[in-house]
Amino acid sequence: MNKIEHIGIAVKDITQANSIYTKLLATEPYKTEKVETEAVETSFFKIGESKIELLQATSPESAIFKYIEKRGEGIHHIAFAVENIESEIERLKAEGFQPISEKPKRGADNKLVFFFHPKSANGVLIELCQEI
Ligand code: ZN
């Protein structure tokens, strides 16, 4: 693991959240992107070496929609940058972390992403991401 790549925050209204985080960080989002496969709209802010990712559901089927229904808005996941996602996945599986899917997939911001279940990491959804 190299660094915290980003922290993902689940929001109800990304337009409203963009304006809040623009004020907070004194910078505009450097990109916004819809990820159809996850049914989310995202925006990214750079903050030093790390980023903040805001996520709004675009459908009630989205994991973000369900998350907000259950827990309200807030920190959704922490993403770690890795160089070799396959070997990191194998390492964490061997350590007993519970994967959410079979294979890494293409996520927002030109990354391969993979998730481990919050119940294996003290309530925190863990994302691994590798630059494509
Ligand atoms: Zn993320």
Side-chain angles (χ1 to χ4, degrees), residues 6-8 44 53 55 77 79 113 115 127:
H6 64 268
I7 293 175
F44 287 87
E53 173 186 31
L55 304 114
H77 63 270
V113 300
F115 291 92
E127 174 182 342

Side-chain angles (χ1 to χ4, degrees), residues 63-81:
I64 295 298
F65 186 90
K66 291 169 190 158
Y67 180 90
I68 289 176
E69 287 261 283
K70 232 197 214 166
R71 303 214 215 168
E73 294 183 295
I75 293 181
H76 178 256
H77 63 270
I78 296 181
F80 297 95

Side-chain angles (χ1 to χ4, degrees), residues 29-80:
Y30 70 91
K31 91 149 59 160
T32 58
E33 185 178 350
K34 275 193 177 153
V35 185
E36 304 290 348
T37 52
E38 301 292 324
V40 290
E41 190 169 338
T42 64
S43 61
F44 287 87
F45 294 80
K46 266 207 176 84
I47 174 83
E49 283 255 295
S50 302
K51 297 166 189 162
I52 297 286
E53 173 186 31
L54 303 179
L55 304 114
Q56 182 208 293
T58 56
S59 136
E61 300 308 309
S62 167
I64 295 298
F65 186 90
K66 291 169 190 158
Y67 180 90
I68 289 176
E69 287 261 283
K70 232 197 214 166
R71 303 214 215 168
E73 294 183 295
I75 293 181
H76 178 256
H77 63 270
I78 296 181
F80 297 95

Side-chain angles (χ1 to χ4, degrees), residues 98-110:
Q98 195 187 318
I100 285 186
S101 57
E102 286 285 305
K103 293 246 151 240
K105 57 187 169 185
R106 223 191 161 91
D109 205 25
N110 297 315

